[in-house]
């Protein structure tokens, strides 16, 4: 097994473990039976469960349904996962000591995966799909120091 496959497998395993622990913390948080605690804990549990399915790409019927939905297809990209992990970690920070610990771990993992993307772009592309926005605009747009975008159409 190549080092790229070992690296992606370890990040997928860490992600799955992290989502399971986030679900445990959020279910523990809902046990107080206050309205907002139950609501926030339930939403975080559902979001982590969906992201767990995305991370391990199983069960097949759920993943297929997510791939066919407009919102679900974005969850397989880095941008979608980054947004979901950021929202989950913000809610986790409100869930006591264990929530703060898991929120920090969630942020460390997503930034670690981004660091992986800089160092190992092939492994990063194996973990995440390219979004339509990235594939359509990244080849022709470039950012300049004057806070404008130069495109091929503007340079003519």
């Amino acid at each position: 097994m190549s080092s790229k496959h070992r690296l992606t497998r370890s990040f997928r395993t860490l992600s799955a473990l992290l989502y399971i622990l986030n679900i445990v913390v959020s279910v523990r948080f809902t046990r107080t039976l206050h309205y907002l605690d139950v609501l926030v804990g339930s939403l975080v549990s559902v979001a982590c469960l969906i992201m767990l399915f995305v991370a391990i790409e199983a069960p097949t019927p759920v993943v297929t349904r997510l791939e066919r939905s407009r919102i679900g297809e974005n969850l397989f990209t880095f941008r979608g996962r980054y947004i979901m992990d950021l929202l989950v970690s913000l809610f986790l920070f409100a869930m006591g000591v264990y929530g703060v610990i898991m929120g920090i771990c969630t942020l460390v993992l997503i930034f670690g995966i981004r660091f992986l993307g800089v160092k190992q772009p092939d492994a990063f592309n194996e973990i995440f799909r390219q979004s339509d926005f990235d594939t359509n605009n990244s080849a022709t747009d470039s950012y300049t120091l004057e806070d404008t975008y130069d495109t091929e159409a503007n340079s003519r």
Side-chain angles (χ1 to χ4, degrees):
M1 179 178 286
S2 70
S3 64
K4 178 180 83 167
H5 293 297
R6 193 174 310 123
L7 192 60
T8 58
R9 187 179 61 178
S10 63
F11 268 111
R12 286 186 192 273
T13 304
L14 279 174
S15 297
L17 179 65
L18 186 76
Y19 288 128
I20 291 169
L21 291 174
N22 286 346
I23 291 170
V24 169
V25 168
S26 60
V27 167
R28 182 180 171 275
F29 184 71
T30 61
R31 289 189 344 200
T32 60
L33 297 179
H34 292 99
Y35 172 71
L36 286 178
D37 295 349
V38 171
L39 182 65
V40 169
S42 300
L43 289 174
V44 170
S45 295
V46 168
C48 287
L49 188 65
I50 290 171
M51 293 310 294
L52 175 65
F53 293 156
V54 168
I56 63 173
E57 294 185 358
T60 306
V62 174
V63 172
T64 304
R65 181 143 184 160
L66 283 171
E67 287 174 335
R68 291 183 181 161
S69 70
R70 179 148 173 80
I71 294 172
E73 70 182 9
N74 291 326
L75 295 177
F76 291 92
T77 66
F78 178 73
R79 182 176 291 142
R81 178 156 174 198
Y82 181 81
I83 290 170
M84 287 298 292
D85 284 347
L86 187 62
L87 287 173
V88 165
S89 65
L90 287 175
F91 282 119
L92 283 170
F93 281 120
M95 295 185 185
V97 175
Y98 296 118
V100 170
I101 292 169
M102 292 311 299
I104 291 170
C105 290
T106 302
L107 290 176
V108 166
L109 183 71
I110 198 68
F111 289 128
I113 290 174
R114 183 62 191 140
F115 182 71
L116 167 76
V118 172
K119 296 291 183 182
Q120 300 277 337
D122 293 335
F124 184 81
N125 289 335
E126 187 175 324
I127 295 174
F128 300 106
R129 299 177 187 164
Q130 295 295 317
S131 66
D132 291 336
F133 180 79
D134 292 340
T135 55
N136 291 338
N137 295 328
S138 63
T140 59
D141 290 349
S142 63
Y143 187 72
T144 63
L145 293 176
E146 292 82 25
D147 294 334
T148 61
Y149 284 94
D150 291 337
T151 60
E152 290 179 5
N154 291 344
S155 62
R156 290 182 195 170

